[in-house]
């Protein structure tokens, strides 16, 4: 197999260029595994990451309360039983430091660090048609030339670093959750404000409520939530999941959302009202995302079913809030349960029962800026603060790729094309960008409707198989045909538009970013069906892709 890694040539400006078979962007869950797989396949490969260390999401999102909400024993790599044997998860849903430590552990065990270049952000990636290679520039001045350009930059890695009018004048501390500092941040005696009540904001709020002098939560849209049941794992638990390694590895590829649980055999109409209630109570008690992803498939399509589940969740939520007027503000009513990401929480609603926590509803009274002393809303009220925490979300799916300056055949720019029409083939390639492979990109199940580790490993495996196939068969380029891509986009849209999810405002639909096309970013036809389709395409010799 071809293998070349050297610094020999220049980028036309006299700067040295490093020649590689493949350059991987990212050193998070997908990037680490992609680096490992391509290196094992005999390619010369490096990974670059803007961070100073490995971890991806778990490097950047070190905000208070950050926690995994997939069960630890399935939030892991499956390529090595030894890795599983030698790692002890301490909780069912581990906190950020443990997830980060796990990725360090895998990095050291697989000796990946020597092939990762940190503190380096890709600023341009241009396809050289004559050479059939990608020329990739970075903010450190280092340039790479590679046949394969593999983005493992993440679905939720481009934070919306919202800046409010007058923000520079604010004299207090300001923190963005997705760029949380490594230094210790203290809350005692301080008046803290949090903007954003998505999964991130909720984890922050429930964690710092008991620590802050006073906490003010600025809420624009309330969330449906599920209480997390998070026992410490005992040796017998670890023994059990290790014993089930092979079963779980297979199982997660066969379920709708890449977890070990799935929808039952009986649909909504097969159950009496009492059985439905018992069914919901039982799954609710599991304290996991299974209440969202296994209760009734009809919940995603049929408004009356969705209303019943939404009522159930609102009832559960209401019973935890002391003040009925406050409950009305905290209960979502403008959209249906599960039509966007449902956060797992611990004592989130109880935080609002505390004397030191206030909720400011900004749905009709928007934040219109910051003053020297705090946050001003449209009615002119200023809430004085010592610290402001922004948990305002991400430019999901497209953001990490459009910020990289990617140019394909004939000088086309991905940023321009996706600003009009977000398209891809299986979320892994785009017509016009040969040998650009992507994980966690738009129109695949990752992030929104799939346990991330399941879908990322499946995509890395598929991409690796493509690349090995090309290497073995002397193929220079691979890209989807326009027609095959069109067919995938049509299938994706048809599947999405049959659900209630497309009626909701959230990052799932891109509607949290001004001017972004409204299209469901993740494939909702099932991770299992998606995996089967990818496997079939590989087995059939990649129909729908031009190989030359
Ligand atoms: P998000 O769900 O997009 O939430 C952003 C929040 O900021 C929303 O409440 C939004 O309100 C609010 N917001 C934005 N601009 C605002 C403004 N100008 N004024 C007032 N409010 C404003 O982002 P996220 O919470 O970071 O979560 C993103 C995704 O990351 C999650 O859905 C999940 O997939 C993932 N995540 C996972 C975990 C985990 O696994 N443990 C934890 C955290 C996050 P509107 O809704 O009204 O726009």
């Amino acid at each position: 197999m071809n293998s070349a890694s050297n610094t020999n040539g220049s980028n036309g400006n006299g700067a040295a260029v490093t020649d590689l078979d493949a350059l991987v962007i990212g050193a998070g869950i997908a990037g680490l595994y992609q680096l490992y797989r391509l290196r094992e396949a005999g390619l010369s490969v490096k990974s670059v990451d803007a961070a100073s260390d490995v971890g991806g999401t778990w490097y950047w999102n070190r905000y208070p309360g950050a926690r995994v909400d997939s069960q630890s024993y399935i939030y892991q790599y499956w390529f090595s039983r030894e890795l599983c044997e030698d790692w002890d998860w301490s909780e069912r849903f581990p906190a950020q430091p443990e997830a980060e430590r796990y990725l360090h552990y895998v990095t050291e065990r697989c000796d990946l660090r020597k092939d990762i270049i940190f503190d380096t952000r890709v600023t341009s990636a241009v396809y050289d048609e004559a050479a059939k290679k990608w020329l990739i520039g970075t903010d450190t001045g280092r340039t790479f030339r590679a046949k394969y350009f593999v983005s493992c930059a993440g679905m939720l890695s481009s934070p919306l670093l919202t800046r409010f009018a007058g923000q520079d004048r604010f004299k207090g501390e300001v923190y963005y959750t997705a760029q949380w500092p490594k230094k210790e941040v203290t809350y005692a005696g301080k008046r803290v404000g949090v903007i954003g009540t998505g999964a991130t904001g909720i984890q922050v709020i429930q964690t710092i409520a008991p620590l802050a002098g006073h906490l003010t939560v600025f809420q624009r849209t309330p969330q449906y939530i599920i209480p997390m049941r998070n026992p410490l794992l005992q040796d017998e638990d670890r023994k059990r999941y290790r014993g089930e390694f092979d079963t779980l590895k297979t199982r997660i590829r066969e379920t709708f959302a890449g977890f070990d649980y799935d929808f039952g055999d009986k649909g909504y109409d097969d159950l009496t009202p009492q059985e439905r209630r018992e069914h919901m109570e039982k799954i609710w008690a599991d304290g996991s995302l299974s209440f969202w992803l296994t209760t009734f498939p009809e919940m995603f399509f049929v408004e009356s079913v969705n209303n019943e589940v939404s009522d159930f969740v609102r009832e559960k939520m209401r019973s935890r809030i002391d003040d009925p007027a406050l409950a009305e503000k905290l209960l979502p009513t403008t959209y249906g349960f599960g039509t966007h990401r449902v956060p797992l929480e611990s004592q989130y609603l109880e935080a609002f029962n505390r004397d030191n926590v206030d909720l400011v509803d900004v749905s009709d009274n928007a934040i219109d800026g910051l003053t020297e002393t705090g946050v001003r809303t449209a009615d002119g009220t200023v809430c004085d603060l010592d610290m402001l925490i922004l948990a305002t979300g991400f430019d999901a799916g497209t953001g990490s790729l459009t910020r990289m300056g990617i140019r394909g055949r004939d000088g086309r720019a991905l940023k321009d094309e996706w600003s009009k029409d977000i398209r891809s083939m299986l979320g892994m390639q785009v017509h016009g960008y040969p040998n650009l492979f992507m994980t966690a990109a738009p129109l695949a199940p990752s992030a929104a409707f799939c346990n991330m580790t399941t879908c990322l490993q499946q995509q890395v495996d598929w991409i690796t198989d493509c690349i090995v196939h090309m290497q073995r068969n002397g193929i220079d380029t691979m890209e989807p045909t326009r027609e095959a891509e069109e067919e995938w986009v049509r299938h994706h849209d048809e599947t999405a538009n049959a659900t209630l999810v497309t009626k909701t405002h959230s990052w799932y639909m891109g509607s949290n970013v001004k001017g972004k096309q409204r299209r469901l970013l993740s494939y909702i036809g099932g991770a299992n069906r998606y995996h089967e389709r990818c496997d079939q395409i590989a087995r059939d010799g990649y129909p729908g892709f031009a190989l030359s």
Side-chain angles (χ1 to χ4, degrees):
M1 199 166 278
N2 175 25
S3 181
S5 170
N6 48 45
T7 303
N8 61 1
S10 91
N11 61 2
N13 300 323
V17 178
T18 303
D19 273 302
L20 297 164
D21 293 328
L23 186 73
V24 174
I25 312 305
I29 291 161
L32 292 173
Y33 184 43
Q34 187 66 81
L35 174 61
Y36 172 80
R37 289 281 335 255
L38 291 179
R39 206 173 69 183
E40 291 293 295
L43 275 78
S44 66
V45 52
K46 297 273 180 212
S47 160
V48 296
D49 199 301
S52 301
D53 213 324
V54 301
T57 282
W58 301 111
Y59 173 89
W60 295 104
N61 290 276
R62 53 183 69 248
Y63 58 81
R67 188 174 285 280
V68 182
D69 58 11
S70 299
Q71 296 92 310
S72 49
Y73 59 85
I74 61 159
Y75 199 82
Q76 62 165 332
Y77 290 109
W78 297 99
F79 66 90
S80 155
R81 180 188 286 272
E82 289 69 39
L83 283 177
C84 175
E85 290 292 335
D86 295 345
W87 178 262
D88 285 349
W89 289 112
S90 70
E91 290 179 276
R92 188 182 189 211
F93 297 106
Q96 174 271 336
E98 189 169 350
E100 190 184 25
R101 272 201 309 279
Y102 173 69
L103 294 171
H104 277 254
Y105 157 74
V106 174
T107 302
E108 308 314 335
R109 281 286 290 259
C110 299
D111 196 17
L112 297 173
R113 194 173 288 283
K114 65 180 185 205
D115 287 320
I116 307 173
I117 300 152
F118 294 109
D119 299 305
T120 302
R121 186 177 286 283
V122 171
T123 49
S124 67
V126 178
Y127 185 64
D128 177 342
E129 289 190 64
K132 297 183 176 148
K133 295 209 165 154
W134 285 89
L135 192 64
I136 299 135
T138 67
D139 62 354
T140 63
R142 234 178 129 168
T143 306
F144 301 87
R145 187 165 37 223
K147 178 174 174 183
Y148 306 104
F149 176 45
V150 189
S151 171
C152 298
M155 183 90 176
L156 293 158
S157 54
S158 288
L160 296 173
L161 302 177
T162 310
R163 290 196 65 79
F164 290 94
Q167 189 157 326
D168 291 339
R169 282 187 294 145
F170 177 59
K171 293 221 156 67
E173 301 163 70
V174 177
Y175 298 103
Y176 290 93
T177 48
Q179 292 187 348
W180 199 263
K182 284 187 175 167
K183 68 167 189 173
E184 193 194 354
V185 177
T186 58
Y187 313 96
K190 293 180 185 168
R191 296 162 303 173
V192 182
V194 175
I195 300 179
T197 52
T200 302
I202 285 175
Q203 290 184 333
V204 172
I205 292 160
Q206 67 195 17
T207 306
I208 66 171
L211 308 176
H214 190 273
L215 176 63
T216 305
V217 176
F218 298 89
Q219 174 194 269
R220 192 163 64 184
T221 309
Q223 290 275 354
Y224 294 98
I225 50 173
I226 300 172
M228 172 186 277
R229 196 174 60 79
N230 191 20
L232 289 175
L233 296 181
Q234 309 300 326
D235 283 344
E236 70 226 47
D237 301 312
R238 289 185 275 269
K239 193 168 167 208
R240 194 184 54 247
Y241 72 67
R242 284 181 184 131
E244 291 172 352
F245 184 87
D246 291 324
T247 320
L248 285 171
K249 182 177 174 175
T250 308
R251 170 77 182 149
I252 56 169
R253 285 178 67 97
E254 294 169 344
T255 59
F256 175 79
F259 288 88
D260 52 343
Y261 41 67
D262 208 355
F263 296 111
D265 297 335
K266 290 191 175 170
Y268 178 86
D269 287 329
D270 300 323
L271 302 173
T272 64
Q274 190 180 334
E275 285 170 338
R276 283 175 204 146
R277 179 82 201 189
E278 285 164 8
H279 179 63
M280 287 195 283
E281 290 284 5
K282 187 165 167 244
I283 304 182
W284 184 260
D286 186 54
S288 70
L289 292 176
S290 64
F291 187 81
W292 174 36
L293 297 166
T294 75
T295 303
F296 303 117
E298 296 87 345
M299 185 188 86
F300 291 102
F301 304 95
V302 184
E303 214 140 335
S304 57
V305 177
N306 188 282
N307 287 343
E308 190 172 325
V309 180
S310 301
D311 281 345
F312 176 91
V313 178
R314 276 192 292 263
E315 184 191 315
K316 292 282 184 197
M317 290 175 67
R318 186 178 278 112
S319 69
R320 294 167 53 191
I321 307 164
D322 293 345
D323 174 1
L326 185 62
E328 290 319 306
K329 290 186 186 164
L330 283 165
L331 298 180
T333 51
T334 56
Y335 62 98
F337 174 79
T339 56
H340 62 79
R341 175 64 142 74
V342 187
L344 293 185
E345 51 75 41
S346 305
Q347 301 289 303
Y348 172 64
L349 294 171
E350 287 72 11
F352 293 93
N353 293 334
R354 299 176 59 91
D355 290 339
N356 70 329
V357 178
D358 282 329
L359 179 75
V360 176
D361 181 352
V362 294
S363 56
D364 291 328
N365 180 28
I367 296 168
D368 85 346
L370 298 193
T371 68
E372 276 188 18
T373 60
V375 170
R376 189 184 54 235
T377 42
D379 64 0
T381 311
V382 176
C383 173
D384 287 337
L385 298 171
D386 303 305
M387 180 192 297
L388 180 61
I389 298 175
L390 291 131
T392 45
F394 297 85
D395 182 358
T398 54
S400 54
L401 286 145
T402 54
R403 292 178 192 189
M404 255 187 245
I406 297 174
R407 287 191 173 271
R409 273 193 294 106
D410 310 318
R412 69 189 69 198
L414 192 65
K415 185 176 178 192
D416 295 344
E417 297 201 307
W418 277 5
S419 72
K420 300 182 203 94
D421 194 10
I422 302 166
R423 313 167 57 82
S424 78
M425 173 66 176
L426 299 168
M428 288 194 278
Q429 279 216 291
V430 184
H431 175 72
Y433 301 82
N435 298 1
L436 164 64
F437 293 93
M438 312 173 296
T439 62
L443 314 200
S446 15
F449 304 111
C450 188
N451 170 42
M452 280 308 272
T453 49
T454 306
C455 282
L456 292 177
Q457 288 174 87
Q458 180 267 340
Q459 290 192 318
V460 167
D461 286 337
W462 193 86
I463 290 167
T464 308
D465 289 349
C466 285
I467 290 176
V468 169
H469 175 79
M470 291 171 71
Q471 293 292 95
R472 285 200 180 131
N473 294 288
I475 297 164
D476 291 329
T477 63
M478 171 168 179
E479 68 171 296
T481 64
R482 188 77 188 168
E483 296 71 34
E485 183 180 272
E486 183 58 35
E487 199 239 304
W488 177 251
V489 174
R490 202 171 35 242
H491 168 67
H492 168 89
D493 284 352
E494 273 169 18
T495 313
N497 292 335
T499 71
L500 300 169
V501 173
T502 52
K503 298 181 172 46
T504 305
H505 152 81
S506 81
W507 68 261
Y508 272 23
M509 291 301 295
S511 61
N512 64 329
V513 178
K514 204 166 165 228
K516 191 163 173 174
Q517 183 196 16
R518 226 185 122 78
R519 166 170 278 155
L520 185 61
L521 283 165
S522 286
Y523 177 64
I524 194 173
N528 44 2
R529 279 177 61 197
Y530 172 82
H531 295 169
E532 280 164 20
R533 188 150 179 163
C534 293
D535 289 350
Q536 189 63 48
I537 287 172
R539 270 198 302 274
D540 293 348
Y542 303 101
F545 290 84
L547 302 159
S548 61

